Each structure stands twice: as C-alpha cells, then as structure tokens.
Amino acid sequence: MTGPLADTWHTRDLVVLQAVVTALDGSLQGIDPAELIDPTGMTEDQVTAALIALKRGQYIEMASALMLSGDAFHSVNGVTEKAYRATGAWPSNETMTDRLLAALTDIAEYGDDPLEKSRARKALDALGGFSRDTLVSVVGAAAGVAMQ
C-alpha cells in the first residue's frame, strides 16, 4: 500500500466524538453506544469503529460489563480534556487563534466605526506576516494556556 490511509478523523471519529460530548454534557450517566447511531447518521459498525479509535486515542472512557445473558454491555462513561478541546467545547490555542482572526476580519469588513475597521485591517495585515504555528504559539502564550 502506498500513500496515506483514508482520513477517518473528520469523516467518522470526530463526528462520533462530537455526539458523545454533546450527549454526556451535564449528564451523570454513561451512554449506550447505540444511542450514537441516530445523531451521527452512521451504522453500528461505524460507531463501534470510531469508539475503538477514540478509546485508543484517549479521548473517551468506556466501561464494559458482562450481563447475565452472557452478552457484553459497553457504555461510554466519560470524555477526557483532549475530547473537549478537539470538539471545540474547551478552548485550544488553535481555536482561540481562529476566533481572534475571525473577530478581526468581522470588524474589518462589517464594523460601524471607520477607525476600528482600519485598525482591524492593520492588525490582520500585521498578523498575516506570521506563520500559523507562530500565531498559535503567541495566542497560547498570551492566554496562558499550555496545550499539546
């Protein structure tokens, strides 16, 4: 096989992770993986594959129990800090950078005050001279958030 593998993060794993974070937000109980089929629009096999990948990647916490019938029951009991950041529920340096740039762009394009619009354009021009990695590092340092 040559070349990279198919991207399962954006098409499968992140979709399931977003559904898990949404379902568990504010809940004190775990969720049955079958509950993720409808919100994700995926098959049971796709949801299962995503949950296995997310557990391996340390995004979710799962528990298993053997039922009296002999069947295994699995439950998604929690998510890690990594899951909150990956889904955007908690800030990351990358999401804060994106939000800063989006806010400046919004002011530059749609602001009411001509002076503020001009300042926002100048700030965007100045920031445009930096690489994305540098901007992410600067925003993270300014926010005092050490991640990844």
Side-chain angles (χ1 to χ4, degrees), residues 17-26:
L17 184 59
Q18 289 168 329
V20 168
V21 170
T22 299
L24 288 177
D25 189 41

Side-chain angles (χ1 to χ4, degrees), residues 42-66:
M42 294 183 188
T43 66
E44 182 179 352
D45 287 344
Q46 290 170 316
V47 168
T48 300
L51 291 174
I52 290 168
L54 293 168
K55 186 172 185 333
R56 283 183 187 146
Q58 300 176 345
Y59 288 92
I60 62 171
E61 299 161 357
M62 291 190 70
S64 300
L66 189 59

Side-chain angles (χ1 to χ4, degrees), residues 5-113:
L5 297 174
D7 175 7
T8 59
W9 175 251
H10 291 97
T11 59
R12 185 192 70 197
D13 303 344
L14 182 59
V15 175
V16 170
L17 184 59
Q18 289 168 329
V20 168
V21 170
T22 299
L24 288 177
D25 189 41
S27 173
L28 299 176
Q29 296 181 330
I31 56 171
D32 183 328
E35 295 175 45
L36 301 170
I37 293 171
D38 284 342
T40 61
M42 294 183 188
T43 66
E44 182 179 352
D45 287 344
Q46 290 170 316
V47 168
T48 300
L51 291 174
I52 290 168
L54 293 168
K55 186 172 185 333
R56 283 183 187 146
Q58 300 176 345
Y59 288 92
I60 62 171
E61 299 161 357
M62 291 190 70
S64 300
L66 189 59
M67 308 301 283
L68 291 176
S69 65
D71 294 331
F73 174 76
H74 304 285
S75 173
V76 181
N77 291 346
V79 294
T80 64
E81 163 268 337
K82 210 170 149 179
Y84 283 113
R85 295 201 196 286
T87 59
W90 283 5
S92 68
N93 296 347
E94 289 82 2
T95 58
M96 288 188 294
T97 300
D98 292 340
R99 289 176 182 167
L100 171 67
L101 294 173
L104 286 171
T105 300
D106 191 49
I107 293 168
E109 291 180 9
Y110 307 109
D112 294 331
D113 183 340

Side-chain angles (χ1 to χ4, degrees), residues 91-105 124 127 130-143 147:
S92 68
N93 296 347
E94 289 82 2
T95 58
M96 288 188 294
T97 300
D98 292 340
R99 289 176 182 167
L100 171 67
L101 294 173
L104 286 171
T105 300
L124 285 168
L127 293 174
F130 293 99
S131 71
R132 172 132 176 93
D133 288 344
T134 299
L135 285 176
V136 168
S137 295
V138 168
V139 167
M147 291 172 274

